[in-house]
Every structure is written in structure tokens, then in C-alpha cells.
Amino acid sequence: MSRESRRSTIPPFYVMDVWKAAAQRARTHGDVLVLAAGQPSTPAPAPVLRATKAAIDLELLGYTETFGILTLREAIARHHSETYGYSVDPEEVVVTTGSSGAFTLLFLAAFDAGDTVVVARPGYPAYRNTLTALGCRVIELDCGPMTRFQPTVAMLEALPEPPAGLVVASPANPTGTVIAPDELAALARWCEANGTLLISDEIYHGITYESADSDNRTTSAWETSRAAVVIGSVSKYFSMTGWRLGWMLVPADLRPALQRLASNMTVCPPAVSQFAAAHAFTPDAKTELDGHVRRYAANRRLLLDGLPKLGITELAPADGAFYVYADIGHLTEDSRAWCARVLEHTGVALAPGIDFDTASGHRTVRFSFAGATTEIEAALVRLGGYLSA
């Protein structure tokens, strides 16, 4: 008799299998080019590394306040004020163990089993899978090229009734698309008017690219509605994935529930990461981080120009983040097997779309361009040879 709970029988995150296979390939062949990883290929910025060493030498690094040390919450509050022009009280900031920890705590605090929560498809699988594990009813909105792979107010109004929650991401994983400022404002107003909790995943803010055909400015949900929850993280723009530190901007009515849950489930986020991350928002750190974004922009252009030459022409706009999401239906109806063959024959690791789209993911793939430019160039050469063989 299995001891597994029913809630644990959610789909796996298949990209982790790709990482495992890529690591094995690296050990046996030493030639892997990883375009599957959803993380920067650079270390934390220099001010963070210096602060880490100081914290190890000078701080106790014991338990902190459940919602995070005050200096970090103040730094996050200033960051939002300087970036978006709205004021944030440090008491409105909840620091968490990664944005993954933020989502889990928030879903537990805001939703009961049976509540309906809406997400976009394609989208980040952990939204759907975590909500399902917690007993929520997940509705996936089919978001294709016509809406730039993002949900709209019209889609929400077409539902039988307003949902308990809506999760949006801008820039989004895997498509990289940005919700236009007026569209995000409209979603925020609709959710507040209809009693729907808007959860705005803004962890890729800071990583956007100029575009001639759309407004790629990233705006924040709190510019329109303080009833929403904003999710942030030091993982992506700040190049600190393994430090496991995220945050939420949370309205007052949710903070007591979050305090009760977090104090029991995690006690506090990692102390050393908190002391270090307070220095991620400094001008020197941002200068270094903006240099990474310029490299991402060059890599993005290589893929957007290079993939169509290989016959892969149906690409999401890639307004931000560091992904190109492509339809490869002319090559395969099994993206997982196709990615495995590509890794076997070329050493290029890609993320199959089955993680991100439960309906059409078998014919899509995600390319990450967070690595070195030379790796992107080499990957295109190898893929070209494989596809022309």
C-alpha cells in the first residue's frame, strides 16, 4: 500500500529531469550547453558578496523576525518607491524563502480547498501544481498569440462567476511576454471590483527589452490596486537564485494569516541571505546587474534571428525575462522526447513545453538565453547541424 498522499500526485517539474540529464552528459562528454535553466549564469553582485562575508563574520545569523529583518524590508520598500513611484511601508513587506515560499504561504492564507483560482496557459507550472496540491480548483485560460499569451478582462468576464484568485506574471515564464500597463491596470480594477485576489508575479521585473510593436514597460499591480498581492524575488534580475529569498507586498487583511502560517512553517527566511540581499538594491549592484541585462538582450537577438533560419519560426514575443518560447509542432508531437534526443545528439539542453502548457506543450519548447553569448552561438550551430541532418 502506497504511503503517498493524494495531494502529492501532482505532475513533476520536468525541467529538473533535463537538468539531471544535462549534468550526466557533462560528466560523460563535457560538452553540455544548458539552455534549459531558468536562472542567471552569473553570481550575485559584488556588494552582496561583500555583505555576505561581513554577515558571516559579524552577525549571529540565528532566527530573525518571521517577516524578515527590518533593514531588508526597508530596502525592498525603497526599491518599489523608486522604481514605480508608490509608497510602501516596510510593514507591508513580507520576506519569504524564495518566491516559491511566498506563493505557497499566500495560497494557504488566501484560499480554501475548493476555491477557484485562474492561471494563464502557457504559464509557470508551480502555480497550477501547488494550487492543485492544496485542493484548489484551477482554471487555465488559453492565452495564445492574439493576447500576447496573457489573460484579459474579457476572459475573466466569460467565466461563470468571479474566481477567488487570479495569478498573472509579467514578464511571464515561459513566454517572456509583458502585460501592457493599461491591461494590467484593467485586470487589477476588475479583480478588486469582483472580490478576486490578484496575485501579480513580478519576479522578472528589471529584465525587459525594447520593442517596436508593443509597450514593454513593466508596471506593478500596486500602482492600481492595493488589494492585490505583489510577488518579488532576488532570483532573476538580482542573480541570486540559490539564496532562496523572495518577498510579497501584502494588504493588511492578509498579514495576520501569513504571520501565523509562516511562523509555524518556516520560522523565518535564511538569515545570511537576508543580510546580504539588503545590499542588492544599491546603485553599484544595479549597475552590475544592468550589464547582465545587456548581455541577455544580445543573446535574445541571436535566438530571435537565428531560430527562424533553422525553420523554427513561431516564437512568442519575448518582451522580457530570458526565454524564447517556440512552437516545434512541425518537428515533433512529443517535446519531451525531442528534447532528450537533442541533448543526446548535440549536448544542447532545452526545456520541453509540457511543463508550461497542459494542452499544447507536447509541441513547444523553451530556450533560455541567460548564459554566455558564446554558448548561445554554439547552440545554434549545433542545432542547425542536427536539424539539417
Side-chain angles (χ1 to χ4, degrees):
M1 178 179 177
S2 173
R3 296 298 299 250
E4 290 185 351
S5 67
R6 286 191 297 274
R7 70 172 57 89
S8 71
T9 58
I10 56 175
F13 198 1
Y14 289 103
V15 75
M16 303 308 295
D17 294 337
V18 175
W19 287 7
K20 182 178 179 180
Q24 176 63 25
R25 171 86 184 198
R27 288 191 292 269
T28 58
H29 291 67
D31 65 346
V32 171
L33 299 173
V34 181
L35 276 65
Q39 66 175 350
S41 58
T42 45
V48 170
L49 297 178
R50 290 194 295 268
T52 304
K53 295 171 184 175
I56 291 171
D57 289 337
L58 302 174
E59 300 293 343
L60 175 63
L61 300 181
Y63 297 135
T64 71
E65 294 179 58
T66 295
F67 283 174
I69 61 174
L70 180 59
T71 53
L72 176 56
R73 287 185 283 118
E74 289 174 336
I76 293 169
R78 284 194 303 272
H79 166 71
H80 280 272
S81 176
E82 293 167 0
T83 304
Y84 308 104
Y86 56 71
S87 63
V88 178
D89 190 299
E91 293 300 310
E92 296 174 305
V93 178
V94 175
V95 181
T96 58
T97 306
S99 61
S100 298
F103 283 110
T104 301
L105 286 170
L106 181 60
F107 293 163
L108 283 166
F111 307 129
D112 286 313
D115 281 352
T116 298
V117 182
V118 171
V119 301
R121 185 182 70 236
Y124 182 54
Y127 307 146
R128 175 185 71 245
N129 293 340
T130 303
L131 285 162
T132 299
L134 297 177
C136 292
R137 174 174 175 256
V138 179
I139 292 179
E140 295 180 287
L141 298 178
D142 186 11
C143 301
M146 293 299 293
T147 63
R148 296 177 64 81
F149 299 92
Q150 293 285 2
T152 65
V153 167
M155 293 178 185
L156 297 175
E157 291 181 336
L159 297 172
E161 59 184 6
L166 167 68
V167 182
V168 299
S170 175
N173 177 8
T175 60
T177 57
V178 169
I179 302 176
D182 58 338
E183 289 288 338
L184 181 58
L187 287 168
R189 287 192 294 268
W190 189 93
C191 286
E192 185 166 356
N194 287 275
T196 297
L197 178 64
L198 173 62
I199 302 168
S200 181
D201 183 347
E202 302 178 6
I203 71 170
Y204 287 98
H205 277 210
I207 310 176
T208 55
Y209 313 101
E210 294 184 2
S211 175
D213 63 349
S214 66
D215 185 351
N216 288 355
R217 290 180 298 118
T218 49
T219 51
S220 174
W222 264 31
E223 293 180 50
T224 301
S225 173
R226 294 297 183 103
V229 173
V230 168
I231 307 290
S233 171
V234 298
S235 288
K236 307 302 182 179
Y237 170 75
F238 296 96
S239 195
M240 295 174 64
T241 50
W243 301 66
R244 307 313 302 134
L245 206 71
W247 70 85
M248 297 183 272
L249 305 185
V250 183
D253 62 320
L254 276 172
R255 291 200 293 272
L258 287 166
Q259 173 71 37
R260 293 191 297 269
L261 288 164
S263 62
N264 278 284
M265 297 179 69
T266 61
V267 180
C268 66
V272 68
S273 297
Q274 292 188 62
F275 283 102
H279 297 264
F281 305 93
T282 62
D284 285 351
K286 290 185 177 181
T287 296
E288 183 178 339
L289 296 167
D290 287 341
H292 301 335
V293 177
R294 288 191 290 273
R295 173 170 52 82
Y296 302 152
N299 293 351
R300 168 184 178 268
R301 180 45 52 195
L302 282 171
L303 285 178
L304 292 181
D305 291 344
L307 289 173
K309 295 176 183 177
L310 304 183
I312 301 174
T313 58
E314 294 189 41
L315 311 175
D319 304 322
F322 32 61
Y323 309 115
V324 171
Y325 193 61
D327 189 319
I328 55 168
H330 61 296
L331 299 173
T332 185
E333 288 292 317
D334 187 344
S335 61
R336 186 182 183 190
W338 187 84
C339 287
R341 290 194 299 271
V342 168
L343 179 60
E344 178 186 358
H345 290 285
T346 72
V348 177
L350 305 172
I354 55 172
D355 267 332
F356 312 104
D357 191 328
T358 57
S360 302
H362 60 284
R363 54 180 293 138
T364 59
V365 66
R366 187 191 74 180
F367 296 79
S368 170
F369 51 82
T373 300
T374 54
E375 293 181 343
I376 304 300
E377 293 170 336
L380 285 169
V381 171
R382 293 190 198 178
L383 285 170
Y386 176 73
L387 293 174
S388 63

